[in-house]
Amino acid sequence: MSWLENSLMARKGLAKGQAGATHSLTEAEQGTYHYVYGPYVEPVLRVDPGAVVVAETHDAFEGAIKSESDNPLEILNFPYLNPQNGPIFVNGAEKGDTLAVYIKNIVPRGPQPVGTTLIMPDFGGLVPTKDTAMLNAPLPVKVKKLHVDAETGTKWSDKITLPYVPFIGTIGTSPEIEAITSLQPDYYGGNMDLPDVGIGAVIYLPVNIKGGLLYLGDCHATQGDGELCGVALEHPTVTTIQIDLIKGWTIPTPRLETEEFIMSIGSTRPMEDATRMAYRDLIRWMAADYGFDEIEAYMLLTQCGRVRLGNMVDPKYTMGASILKSYLTP
Amino acid sequence: MSWLENSLMARKGLAKGQAGATHSLTEAEQGTYHYVYGPYVEPVLRVDPGAVVVAETHDAFEGAIKSESDNPLEILNFPYLNPQNGPIFVNGAEKGDTLAVYIKNIVPRGPQPVGTTLIMPDFGGLVPTKDTAMLNAPLPVKVKKLHVDAETGTKWSDKITLPYVPFIGTIGTSPEIEAITSLQPDYYGGNMDLPDVGIGAVIYLPVNIKGGLLYLGDCHATQGDGELCGVALEHPTVTTIQIDLIKGWTIPTPRLETEEFIMSIGSTRPMEDATRMAYRDLIRWMAADYGFDEIEAYMLLTQCGRVRLGNMVDPKYTMGASILKSYLTP
Amino acid sequence: MSWLENSLMARKGLAKGQAGATHSLTEAEQGTYHYVYGPYVEPVLRVDPGAVVVAETHDAFEGAIKSESDNPLEILNFPYLNPQNGPIFVNGAEKGDTLAVYIKNIVPRGPQPVGTTLIMPDFGGLVPTKDTAMLNAPLPVKVKKLHVDAETGTKWSDKITLPYVPFIGTIGTSPEIEAITSLQPDYYGGNMDLPDVGIGAVIYLPVNIKGGLLYLGDCHATQGDGELCGVALEHPTVTTIQIDLIKGWTIPTPRLETEEFIMSIGSTRPMEDATRMAYRDLIRWMAADYGFDEIEAYMLLTQCGRVRLGNMVDPKYTMGASILKSYLTP
Amino acid sequence: MSWLENSLMARKGLAKGQAGATHSLTEAEQGTYHYVYGPYVEPVLRVDPGAVVVAETHDAFEGAIKSESDNPLEILNFPYLNPQNGPIFVNGAEKGDTLAVYIKNIVPRGPQPVGTTLIMPDFGGLVPTKDTAMLNAPLPVKVKKLHVDAETGTKWSDKITLPYVPFIGTIGTSPEIEAITSLQPDYYGGNMDLPDVGIGAVIYLPVNIKGGLLYLGDCHATQGDGELCGVALEHPTVTTIQIDLIKGWTIPTPRLETEEFIMSIGSTRPMEDATRMAYRDLIRWMAADYGFDEIEAYMLLTQCGRVRLGNMVDPKYTMGASILKSYLTP
């Protein structure tokens, strides 16, 4: 028996965590990809709770960086970056509900080398940016194209092989009236770049508008904490998710569940505030759903809370705060 | 002769800073007010450069807080806050151009008391918020309604009278594909809450999309640096602006000009980054338009640069960095 | 009659703000200058409340940068930077008291050009530093030596003349058991680099240890908000201060008074926290000494509070929050 | 064969990572504990490289919180908090060298319950503090005293048992001329509160002054990432360390080595800057000692770097950035 049968998705979801009909979302079926999370486009799919969606995602550059000699400054056309599949309208979803998205699988697709990472001006964790504005000359542009194999991983160099530990870099629901660049993580999810959003996890996303309007894209073959230079190992994929709907469970920001832990996710600046957002929501979750006193949860997390840095390069930084399920018994 | 005749607006604008046709934008003419800065609605006006627009603005609560016994938690309906007039389509404006908006006048309108300030949970500079998340109990809700007189100011208490020094709290252009809450300041302007955006100033705003799509609202009768509790002395007004168009002058973020100084405006978190944004843009402006070497400008601003804190309470903090015009001669 | 006769110093000080004996503190009398604010050295002077001290201060580089061709990287010897006069033991001062320091005069001294500003790696507001660590190459070193005249100011270039508006960049008392680099501003004062600490102002400093142990140095001939490149117009001076002692008035961080306003000063990172420190202390001061309700003060400062950025380059950033005295009547 | 034989300590240390003479540092032998990291006290021990020191550490409250009904506000006497053993003078150590400290063992000592955690005003990650100053009422004081058993861990409640995973919360060398509260982490180590500083790890600390002057204390029986409420499970211990000396290896900030990874540690505010410090130092370390090109290391860490949050409650936040040794082969 899988842990999923005891997941919040299974216990609270309308489809009880069971898979329903499968929907295909190929490049052709998607048609236009999207660069904002918002309500101003028509859904590409309308599905019932339980739906399985098999989506062909693009990499963050929509495949435009084809070789190591390509110059991203000439090729990329801001703000048309980080293309997203969707939006998927979930029947029955209304403001105040929560979508549960179980990540069933992620596999690379397309002609190799499909992996791309690069350095470009005004972007990255250890360089000046538009926000952390400085006068120094930028680092030189550099592109790396790498073969990504779901079995053997990625050969970074003769001596270093990185495992294939893929996850969805950008996933979320639509804001109610805003339409926000898919480069940004926020209260609805978005570009969190958090490696925990990988195969086998369930991510919970607040529904802000009828149908929820789920978007996703930007899968990474692997990524370190912080996505330091700003560009993980980006790659196009076939990503399979299962969507459930939890009525009347209202969450302010994304949450995540795996077999071992539950996690709250905060995205803002500075990074201590993202951490505060994540930890406070975790405390409130422990209080609401697991019977903890808030102060008791605060003191317990002081002893056993865990923090994962997602990104330190996007318009908002992302932090996940988690607790092992084995401690969720006040 | 007014300094305006030598302003950047006069020297660079298509209308040479001269007033053209006057357009009225009453509540009735505006019809629906807007809560996002974005391109997904029809313009309410289409004007030529030089146009004068007389707009009836609402206060940030759309007049819903009518007495000191009103409870904002029951009345306000997030995200439908900070209603904006517009968008105004400026004929000829294209991405990469700049709008110049000269603020001719601001006067209070409507039945007294028109001024509103208040304290509510999760909002303000010295309390926990959604981002700076904490566990403490919020301060009690408190509403103050005050008479605002353009001549005599506002009697805060028997002994304290605040002068009427109004400015436009929220003004900006539309993003290209984003639609962002009018509560936020950003690269296109928005909710900067910067007192320098007052009568007699010219604010320069980047055009991100055809027509520019100018929005404005949220006038304050007076405000201290930082808008500390989150709510200045909000009031509905008749605001008169004159719009000019500068072709081919591309600015990354808002700039401002008065008789005495030029200012660059940065909005982000943390506050040091907002300051960096403002100062770096000012240096680049001094280099591009006034002939300074960048390093020389950096060292000169070290001796005579001036910084104004706009808000420390909105989703992004706003800082203005300025230099007296008398120093703009390298 | 001077406003000083109604200052807090005059009303609360043991010497009632009256000048007492004058003490000289020439370079020779000072002997060794100090590079930390701490209690581990002998006082260079012991004075009574009311004492006037005439101190020969060094510039922040102790005069070692003598020409524009000097290379600070070869000359400066960290941590032996920012030499301080003192410590001055104030008879009767005990932990929990406050020193009042009235700044009577500052004049340049020594062979011209006495003014120095410079750019060096890892230091400054718009470059990577030890803390805001990045990978970019530093800006080139650059030194400017400038003639400083107390009457005519400083000729920055053929066309730009900066006025002489000197202030004390670094002044404070000793911590109780810490000894902290004079490059840092903190709860006891130190390297605040706040232009308001100029001629005619009274700065109030917490006494943390018997005698208070007052240090000062690092006078600037002029400085913009933020001290952007990290080095204002540094110069050696003869600085004249008058010291008073306020028994039993305990302040957590420095405060300042001029004829027009009172100010609280906060130093920390990030900059919003420095602003919060300053504004919260100002509210508590208004409550304790002027009869305001704290919430009322919070709302009033929202309308009329003023913020001054001191430095954005030192180990902690400094912000002053002030209110006009004309509003100090609840 | 232990991995230690191939550690940097073994390969670079004067004692080649071999244990030398054992020195006892009982409470009695220590005598006065210290509350600052500084050079202004006499060493309590003088040892040769290789020395093993068995130190009786106090908890952060020096044992003063004896029961859950004790009120820390009445008992604790700031700044006399976080008592430290030492300083230990290491013969031969000079500025520019590095101390290697291998943590051999940590065991609880003293009468049970020896574990203490608590909530008190102005301290903690989810409450207002002296720096993140706010107006809200503090949380109520709360003290928990817990039995700590090195074998069975700590019974937090009937249902929750926390394992015993002790580490040294505060360890470091003396600054050259500063004396800084033991509550603060900084370039020399100090109160990092980083759980990786546990049994079996080697921490590398910069020598800033002759003899290095090693301090340590503040052991935690367990702690979550961030030390959320500000007080981990504090307990007195017998801590056994082995000290080696690496001549001529100059590091700017602490580094750490375990069997599996190497880590650089940054402490500052805001948290993104602490992360930048850690990652930049790790890149420079990879370049200097492992042959990586800096840009290559930057891009590799983007894919596999790991970040650990130490504390988010002390005067500076602490972040560790690490890479698995298996990737250290460019």
Side-chain angles (χ1 to χ4, degrees), chain A residues 80 131-132 178-179 181 268 273, chain B residues 131-132 176 178-179 181 268 273:
Chain A
Y80 300 96
D131 293 78
T132 308
E178 291 188 287
T181 170
T268 192
D273 275 3
Chain B
D131 293 79
T132 308
E176 183 172 353
E178 292 188 287
T181 170
T268 192
D273 275 1

Side-chain angles (χ1 to χ4, degrees), chain C residues 131-132 176 178-179 181 268 273, chain D residues 80 131-132 178-179 181 268 273:
Chain C
D131 294 77
T132 307
E176 183 171 353
E178 292 188 288
T181 170
T268 191
D273 275 2
Chain D
Y80 301 95
D131 293 78
T132 308
E178 292 187 287
T181 168
T268 191
D273 275 1

Side-chain angles (χ1 to χ4, degrees), chain C residues 35-36 40 77-80 95 122 128-135 176-182 184 186-187 267-270 272-274 276-277 280 283-284 294-295 298 315-317, chain D residues 35-36 40 77-80 95 122 128-135 176-182 184 186-187 267-270 272-274 276-277 280 283-284 294-295 298 315-317:
Chain C
Y35 309 95
V36 293
Y40 300 109
N77 179 25
F78 183 85
Y80 300 96
K95 186 175 177 177
D122 287 338
T129 62
K130 181 180 64 63
D131 294 77
T132 307
M134 298 187 168
L135 297 174
E176 183 171 353
I177 58 174
E178 292 188 288
I180 297 178
T181 170
S182 55
Q184 177 166 315
D186 217 319
Y187 56 92
S267 296
T268 191
R269 291 188 177 199
E272 52 265 37
D273 275 2
R276 287 176 176 131
M277 286 180 74
R280 184 174 73 175
I283 288 170
R284 290 182 170 174
E294 282 203 5
I295 296 300
Y298 182 41
K316 300 190 174 187
Y317 307 132
Chain D
Y35 309 95
V36 292
Y40 300 108
N77 180 26
F78 183 85
Y80 301 95
K95 185 174 178 178
D122 286 339
T129 63
K130 180 180 65 63
D131 293 78
T132 308
M134 296 186 169
L135 296 175
E176 184 171 352
I177 58 173
E178 292 187 287
I180 297 177
T181 168
S182 55
Q184 178 165 314
D186 217 319
Y187 56 91
S267 296
T268 191
R269 290 188 176 198
E272 53 266 35
D273 275 1
R276 287 176 176 132
M277 285 180 74
R280 184 175 73 174
I283 288 170
R284 290 182 171 176
E294 282 203 6
I295 296 299
Y298 182 42
K316 299 190 175 186
Y317 306 133

Side-chain angles (χ1 to χ4, degrees), chain C residues 56 108 153 212 264:
Chain C
E56 291 187 349
S264 288

Side-chain angles (χ1 to χ4, degrees), chain A residues 35-36 40 79-80 129-135 176-181 268-269 273 276-277 280 298, chain B residues 35-36 40 79-80 129-135 176-181 268-269 273 276-277 280 298:
Chain A
Y35 309 95
V36 293
Y40 300 107
Y80 300 96
T129 63
K130 180 180 66 62
D131 293 78
T132 308
M134 296 185 170
L135 297 175
E176 184 172 352
I177 57 173
E178 291 188 287
I180 297 177
T181 170
T268 192
R269 291 189 175 196
D273 275 3
R276 286 177 177 131
M277 285 180 74
R280 183 174 73 174
Y298 182 41
Chain B
Y35 309 95
V36 292
Y40 301 108
Y80 301 96
T129 63
K130 181 180 64 61
D131 293 79
T132 308
M134 297 186 170
L135 298 173
E176 183 172 353
I177 58 174
E178 292 188 287
I180 297 178
T181 170
T268 192
R269 290 188 177 200
D273 275 1
R276 286 176 177 132
M277 285 180 74
R280 185 176 70 174
Y298 182 42

